[in-house]
Amino acid sequence: MSEIPSRYAPRVRSAAERRDLMSYVWGLALALVLTLVPFAMVQWHWAAHTALMVTIGVLALIQVVVHFRFFLHIGLKRKREDLWLILFSASLLIIMVFGTIWIMVNLAARMAIPM
C-alpha cells in the first residue's frame, strides 16, 4: 500500500488560520454589501441628490474601516504603530488636498476679471 504524499494530503487548518479565513470572508461580504448598496441607490434613484451624496460618503468611510479591520488587520487594540502611521499619512494627504484647493481658489480669485 502506497502512502499519500504530504502535498496531496488534506491540510488541517489551525485555529488562527480559521479565524483569519473567517475574517477575510466577513470582510469580503461587508465590502460587497457596502459597494452594492450605494450602486443600487444611484441606479434606482432611492434618495434625493444631497441625501444620496451624504449616504455614499458615510458608506465609503465605513468601508475604509472595514478594509482596515478585516483585510489589513489594523485595529485599536493591536498594531498601534501601524494605526499611527496610517493616521499620519492621512493627515498629510488632507493637508495637501486642502492646501491645494486653498491655493487654487486664491489664484482664481486673483485672476478673475473685475466687473
Side-chain angles (χ1 to χ4, degrees), residues 1-12:
M1 182 171 168
S2 66
E3 187 173 315
I4 298 174
S6 63
R7 66 180 179 190
Y8 297 116
R11 186 166 176 256
V12 178

Side-chain angles (χ1 to χ4, degrees), residues 98-112:
F98 283 111
T100 301
I101 291 172
W102 182 33
I103 290 171
M104 296 302 285
V105 167
N106 193 356
L107 283 176
R110 290 175 184 234
M111 298 293 288

Side-chain angles (χ1 to χ4, degrees), residues 11-72:
R11 186 166 176 256
V12 178
R13 290 190 169 97
S14 68
E17 288 175 332
R18 277 185 264 139
R19 189 176 53 242
D20 283 344
L21 180 64
M22 287 307 296
S23 172
Y24 287 125
V25 169
W26 272 105
L28 178 65
L30 287 172
L32 282 175
V33 167
L34 291 170
T35 301
L36 291 176
V37 168
F39 178 77
M41 291 177 70
V42 170
Q43 180 67 29
W44 290 294
H45 307 286
W46 284 355
H49 181 73
T50 304
L52 186 67
M53 291 297 139
V54 170
T55 305
I56 289 173
V58 169
L59 291 176
L61 289 176
I62 292 172
Q63 188 157 14
V64 167
V65 172
V66 165
H67 281 256
F68 280 150
R69 169 66 180 88
F70 290 104
F71 297 125
L72 298 176

